[in-house]
Amino acid sequence: MARGRLITLEGGDGVGKTTQRARIAEALAQAGLSVVTTREPGGTDGAEAIRSLLLNAAEGAWTPATEALLHFAARTDHVARLIEPSLAQGTWVICDRFTDSTMVYQGYARDLGRPAVEAIEQAALGGFRPDLTLILDLPVEEGLRRRRHRGEEADYYERRDAQFQHRLRAGFLDIARREPARCAVVDAAQPDHAVTRDIVGIIQDRLGPL
Ligand code: TMP
């Protein structure tokens, strides 16, 4: 049986990753593939417990290095218990955020630096990387407007100002420039259905016909 593929969705807060995750899963299932959707931090019981340590913490409670280690602790459990077994069974995994979020939030925006995050990644996951990473790109003001509109309760990260969101956006675009074979940037300012159409096109170009 062919191994499944890991597709990750990345981007700043409010770019529409959760909506697109469901839509991609639907498109893949319609094509007859077995699909599981998941998210980070989280996805397994242990990783969800770590998620609450991270997201319920007061501003500045963790150092950037501790945050990065907690995200990778959660991710190691998630990969070992959910992602890798699913791929091995031929199931495609659509994951909302992955290692690139740690690189951007902790490495770039919180100044831990690329080399530190790369070293933790290597120790935690070896060479394990997604098959395809979709970077949903949205102007910062539009992202903030969408989140206000949803009346989302601000969590630890989302209380940050627009300046922080600008650093996130630049960070994700930098990763896309560095790793064009793995990453694709998607214009997330379009209506949802157009974003989905673009994403399905990218999946077919990069991973083969569905
Ligand atoms: P979510 O809002 O997409 O559920 O993600 C929760 C928050 O956690 C989000 O603001 C981004 C942040 N985060 C990191 O800072 N580092 C990471 O490695 C991950 C996966 C998420």
Side-chain angles (χ1 to χ4, degrees):
M1 176 197 294
R3 187 176 156 84
R5 305 295 187 104
L6 171 61
I7 300 176
T8 58
L9 287 160
E10 296 280 6
D13 300 305
V15 298
K17 291 184 302 299
T18 310
T19 304
Q20 293 303 326
R21 181 180 66 178
R23 286 167 162 257
I24 301 168
E26 202 180 299
L28 296 177
Q30 271 173 13
L33 294 165
S34 158
V35 191
V36 65
T37 62
T38 185
R39 66 157 183 195
E40 291 205 341
T44 58
D45 289 348
E48 290 289 336
I50 296 171
R51 178 186 178 91
S52 61
L53 287 177
L54 283 157
L55 299 193
N56 297 333
E59 175 87 28
W62 304 116
T63 66
T66 307
E67 279 181 11
L69 289 162
L70 286 170
H71 280 292
F72 271 104
R75 185 164 300 130
T76 324
D77 193 69
H78 192 205
V79 170
R81 298 209 153 102
L82 179 79
I83 296 178
E84 184 55 47
S86 301
L87 297 175
Q89 282 171 11
T91 296
W92 288 45
V93 180
I94 317 296
C95 186
D96 188 337
R97 299 194 181 284
F98 199 65
T99 297
D100 298 312
S101 280
T102 313
M103 181 59 81
V104 167
Y105 282 79
Q106 283 69 47
Y108 291 5
R110 296 209 63 204
D111 293 323
L112 183 59
R114 272 195 81 82
V117 177
E118 282 170 352
I120 301 170
E121 179 194 18
Q122 185 57 38
L125 298 184
F128 185 88
R129 288 276 172 90
D131 296 290
L132 174 64
T133 296
L134 299 158
I135 293 177
L136 272 55
D137 183 54
L138 190 67
V140 168
E141 284 313 317
E142 176 61 15
L144 293 172
R145 195 192 62 74
R146 288 185 186 183
R147 279 159 49 213
R148 274 196 300 271
H149 185 71
R150 287 208 303 254
E152 238 172 48
E153 195 188 343
D155 70 14
Y156 174 18
Y157 297 97
E158 289 169 352
R159 282 196 290 272
R160 307 291 173 79
D161 52 11
Q163 185 73 30
F164 189 76
Q165 297 294 331
H166 279 289
R167 298 189 75 184
L168 299 178
R169 187 180 188 206
F172 283 115
L173 293 176
D174 182 61
I175 290 175
R177 271 191 299 273
R178 285 169 182 267
E179 290 183 74
R182 174 173 66 87
C183 301
V185 177
V186 179
D187 174 7
Q190 308 175 87
D192 286 349
H193 68 88
V195 177
T196 309
R197 180 202 59 212
D198 284 3
I199 287 175
V200 171
I202 291 165
I203 293 173
Q204 306 217 41
D205 283 352
R206 302 283 184 106
L207 303 180
L210 294 179

